[in-house]
PDB file of all heavy atoms in Angstrom:
ATOM      1  N   TRP B 260      15.325  -5.341  13.030  1.00  0.00           N
ATOM      2  CA  TRP B 260      14.072  -5.013  12.337  1.00  0.00           C
ATOM      3  C   TRP B 260      13.960  -3.505  12.157  1.00  0.00           C
ATOM      4  O   TRP B 260      14.408  -2.736  13.000  1.00  0.00           O
ATOM      5  CB  TRP B 260      12.854  -5.445  13.166  1.00  0.00           C
ATOM      6  CG  TRP B 260      12.555  -6.908  13.187  1.00  0.00           C
ATOM      7  CD1 TRP B 260      13.383  -7.909  13.615  1.00  0.00           C
ATOM      8  CD2 TRP B 260      11.326  -7.537  12.806  1.00  0.00           C
ATOM      9  NE1 TRP B 260      12.734  -9.120  13.517  1.00  0.00           N
ATOM     10  CE2 TRP B 260      11.475  -8.916  13.037  1.00  0.00           C
ATOM     11  CE3 TRP B 260      10.109  -7.064  12.310  1.00  0.00           C
ATOM     12  CZ2 TRP B 260      10.460  -9.834  12.774  1.00  0.00           C
ATOM     13  CZ3 TRP B 260       9.093  -7.971  12.049  1.00  0.00           C
ATOM     14  CH2 TRP B 260       9.267  -9.344  12.274  1.00  0.00           C
ATOM     15  N   ALA B 261      13.315  -3.099  11.063  1.00  0.00           N
ATOM     16  CA  ALA B 261      13.017  -1.682  10.856  1.00  0.00           C
ATOM     17  C   ALA B 261      11.629  -1.570  10.257  1.00  0.00           C
ATOM     18  O   ALA B 261      11.058  -2.563   9.793  1.00  0.00           O
ATOM     19  CB  ALA B 261      14.056  -1.039   9.941  1.00  0.00           C
ATOM     20  N   VAL B 262      11.061  -0.356  10.289  1.00  0.00           N
ATOM     21  CA  VAL B 262       9.778  -0.109   9.629  1.00  0.00           C
ATOM     22  C   VAL B 262       9.897   1.063   8.686  1.00  0.00           C
ATOM     23  O   VAL B 262      10.717   1.960   8.879  1.00  0.00           O
ATOM     24  CB  VAL B 262       8.637   0.257  10.608  1.00  0.00           C
ATOM     25  CG1 VAL B 262       8.029  -0.968  11.223  1.00  0.00           C
ATOM     26  CG2 VAL B 262       9.102   1.256  11.638  1.00  0.00           C
ATOM     27  N   ILE B 274       2.148   2.437   9.163  1.00  0.00           N
ATOM     28  CA  ILE B 274       3.341   1.688   8.792  1.00  0.00           C
ATOM     29  C   ILE B 274       3.105   1.023   7.448  1.00  0.00           C
ATOM     30  O   ILE B 274       2.085   0.351   7.244  1.00  0.00           O
ATOM     31  CB  ILE B 274       3.675   0.650   9.879  1.00  0.00           C
ATOM     32  CG1 ILE B 274       4.213   1.391  11.119  1.00  0.00           C
ATOM     33  CG2 ILE B 274       4.674  -0.375   9.370  1.00  0.00           C
ATOM     34  CD1 ILE B 274       4.492   0.498  12.302  1.00  0.00           C
ATOM     35  N   GLY B 276       5.372  -1.036   5.863  1.00  0.00           N
ATOM     36  CA  GLY B 276       5.884  -2.395   5.820  1.00  0.00           C
ATOM     37  C   GLY B 276       7.041  -2.586   6.769  1.00  0.00           C
ATOM     38  O   GLY B 276       7.635  -1.609   7.249  1.00  0.00           O
ATOM     39  N   PHE B 277       7.346  -3.839   7.025  1.00  0.00           N
ATOM     40  CA  PHE B 277       8.456  -4.170   7.906  1.00  0.00           C
ATOM     41  C   PHE B 277       9.677  -4.542   7.075  1.00  0.00           C
ATOM     42  O   PHE B 277       9.551  -5.193   6.034  1.00  0.00           O
ATOM     43  CB  PHE B 277       8.075  -5.325   8.826  1.00  0.00           C
ATOM     44  CG  PHE B 277       6.979  -4.958   9.793  1.00  0.00           C
ATOM     45  CD1 PHE B 277       5.664  -5.303   9.546  1.00  0.00           C
ATOM     46  CD2 PHE B 277       7.278  -4.230  10.934  1.00  0.00           C
ATOM     47  CE1 PHE B 277       4.653  -4.937  10.430  1.00  0.00           C
ATOM     48  CE2 PHE B 277       6.272  -3.857  11.825  1.00  0.00           C
ATOM     49  CZ  PHE B 277       4.961  -4.212  11.571  1.00  0.00           C
ATOM     50  N   ILE B 278      10.832  -4.123   7.538  1.00  0.00           N
ATOM     51  CA  ILE B 278      12.090  -4.427   6.865  1.00  0.00           C
ATOM     52  C   ILE B 278      12.853  -5.398   7.749  1.00  0.00           C
ATOM     53  O   ILE B 278      13.073  -5.124   8.934  1.00  0.00           O
ATOM     54  CB  ILE B 278      12.903  -3.132   6.654  1.00  0.00           C
ATOM     55  CG1 ILE B 278      12.104  -2.167   5.771  1.00  0.00           C
ATOM     56  CG2 ILE B 278      14.249  -3.444   6.032  1.00  0.00           C
ATOM     57  CD1 ILE B 278      12.697  -0.774   5.710  1.00  0.00           C
ATOM     58  N   ILE B 279      13.205  -6.550   7.192  1.00  0.00           N
ATOM     59  CA  ILE B 279      13.899  -7.577   7.966  1.00  0.00           C
ATOM     60  C   ILE B 279      15.232  -7.898   7.289  1.00  0.00           C
ATOM     61  O   ILE B 279      15.466  -7.476   6.151  1.00  0.00           O
ATOM     62  CB  ILE B 279      13.026  -8.848   8.097  1.00  0.00           C
ATOM     63  CG1 ILE B 279      12.726  -9.426   6.715  1.00  0.00           C
ATOM     64  CG2 ILE B 279      11.741  -8.540   8.856  1.00  0.00           C
ATOM     65  CD1 ILE B 279      12.012 -10.770   6.760  1.00  0.00           C
ATOM     66  N   ASP B 282      16.599  -7.446   3.427  1.00  0.00           N
ATOM     67  CA  ASP B 282      15.805  -6.484   2.655  1.00  0.00           C
ATOM     68  C   ASP B 282      16.627  -5.237   2.339  1.00  0.00           C
ATOM     69  O   ASP B 282      17.351  -4.726   3.188  1.00  0.00           O
ATOM     70  CB  ASP B 282      14.558  -6.052   3.442  1.00  0.00           C
ATOM     71  CG  ASP B 282      13.521  -7.159   3.534  1.00  0.00           C
ATOM     72  OD1 ASP B 282      13.611  -8.116   2.746  1.00  0.00           O
ATOM     73  OD2 ASP B 282      12.625  -7.059   4.393  1.00  0.00           O
ATOM     74  N   LEU B 301      13.603  -0.571  14.619  1.00  0.00           N
ATOM     75  CA  LEU B 301      12.774  -0.989  15.761  1.00  0.00           C
ATOM     76  C   LEU B 301      13.626  -1.645  16.832  1.00  0.00           C
ATOM     77  O   LEU B 301      13.245  -1.690  18.001  1.00  0.00           O
ATOM     78  CB  LEU B 301      11.707  -1.979  15.298  1.00  0.00           C
ATOM     79  CG  LEU B 301      10.622  -1.441  14.376  1.00  0.00           C
ATOM     80  CD1 LEU B 301       9.676  -2.558  13.978  1.00  0.00           C
ATOM     81  CD2 LEU B 301       9.864  -0.326  15.069  1.00  0.00           C
ATOM     82  N   LEU B 358      -0.803 -10.758   8.228  1.00  0.00           N
ATOM     83  CA  LEU B 358       0.504 -10.185   8.533  1.00  0.00           C
ATOM     84  C   LEU B 358       1.414 -11.226   9.182  1.00  0.00           C
ATOM     85  O   LEU B 358       2.587 -11.349   8.828  1.00  0.00           O
ATOM     86  CB  LEU B 358       0.348  -8.975   9.459  1.00  0.00           C
ATOM     87  CG  LEU B 358       1.665  -8.326   9.917  1.00  0.00           C
ATOM     88  CD1 LEU B 358       2.470  -7.817   8.730  1.00  0.00           C
ATOM     89  CD2 LEU B 358       1.398  -7.179  10.890  1.00  0.00           C
ATOM     90  N   LEU B 362       4.974 -12.518   7.675  1.00  0.00           N
ATOM     91  CA  LEU B 362       6.245 -12.444   8.401  1.00  0.00           C
ATOM     92  C   LEU B 362       6.861 -13.827   8.554  1.00  0.00           C
ATOM     93  O   LEU B 362       8.071 -13.997   8.377  1.00  0.00           O
ATOM     94  CB  LEU B 362       6.019 -11.780   9.763  1.00  0.00           C
ATOM     95  CG  LEU B 362       5.659 -10.295   9.700  1.00  0.00           C
ATOM     96  CD1 LEU B 362       5.328  -9.751  11.087  1.00  0.00           C
ATOM     97  CD2 LEU B 362       6.796  -9.479   9.073  1.00  0.00           C
ATOM     98  N   ARG B 365       8.419 -14.686   5.164  1.00  0.00           N
ATOM     99  CA  ARG B 365       9.592 -13.886   4.818  1.00  0.00           C
ATOM    100  C   ARG B 365      10.770 -14.222   5.725  1.00  0.00           C
ATOM    101  O   ARG B 365      11.920 -14.274   5.284  1.00  0.00           O
ATOM    102  CB  ARG B 365       9.259 -12.398   4.907  1.00  0.00           C
ATOM    103  CG  ARG B 365       8.387 -11.912   3.749  1.00  0.00           C
ATOM    104  CD  ARG B 365       7.949 -10.474   3.943  1.00  0.00           C
ATOM    105  NE  ARG B 365       9.078  -9.575   4.095  1.00  0.00           N
ATOM    106  CZ  ARG B 365       8.986  -8.331   4.587  1.00  0.00           C
ATOM    107  NH1 ARG B 365       7.804  -7.863   4.960  1.00  0.00           N
ATOM    108  NH2 ARG B 365      10.051  -7.583   4.695  1.00  0.00           N
ATOM    109  N   LEU B 381       7.812  -6.689  18.163  1.00  0.00           N
ATOM    110  CA  LEU B 381       6.883  -5.591  17.887  1.00  0.00           C
ATOM    111  C   LEU B 381       5.928  -5.404  19.057  1.00  0.00           C
ATOM    112  O   LEU B 381       5.397  -6.372  19.592  1.00  0.00           O
ATOM    113  CB  LEU B 381       6.060  -5.904  16.629  1.00  0.00           C
ATOM    114  CG  LEU B 381       6.823  -6.332  15.386  1.00  0.00           C
ATOM    115  CD1 LEU B 381       5.844  -6.673  14.266  1.00  0.00           C
ATOM    116  CD2 LEU B 381       7.779  -5.247  14.942  1.00  0.00           C
ATOM    117  N   ILE B 385       2.822  -0.913  17.546  1.00  0.00           N
ATOM    118  CA  ILE B 385       3.413  -1.004  16.204  1.00  0.00           C
ATOM    119  C   ILE B 385       2.527  -1.845  15.288  1.00  0.00           C
ATOM    120  O   ILE B 385       2.263  -1.480  14.137  1.00  0.00           O
ATOM    121  CB  ILE B 385       4.843  -1.584  16.284  1.00  0.00           C
ATOM    122  CG1 ILE B 385       5.756  -0.575  17.004  1.00  0.00           C
ATOM    123  CG2 ILE B 385       5.378  -1.899  14.902  1.00  0.00           C
ATOM    124  CD1 ILE B 385       7.128  -1.117  17.312  1.00  0.00           C
ATOM    125  N   ALA B 389       0.580  -0.719  11.794  1.00  0.00           N
ATOM    126  CA  ALA B 389       0.738  -1.454  10.539  1.00  0.00           C
ATOM    127  C   ALA B 389      -0.609  -1.940  10.027  1.00  0.00           C
ATOM    128  O   ALA B 389      -0.871  -1.932   8.821  1.00  0.00           O
ATOM    129  CB  ALA B 389       1.680  -2.638  10.734  1.00  0.00           C
TER     130      ALA B 389
END
Side-chain angles (χ1 to χ4, degrees):
Chain B
W260 285 59
V262 278
I274 288 176
F277 294 99
I278 299 169
I279 61 173
D282 289 343
L301 293 178
L358 177 61
L362 292 175
R365 286 174 57 196
L381 310 177
I385 293 172

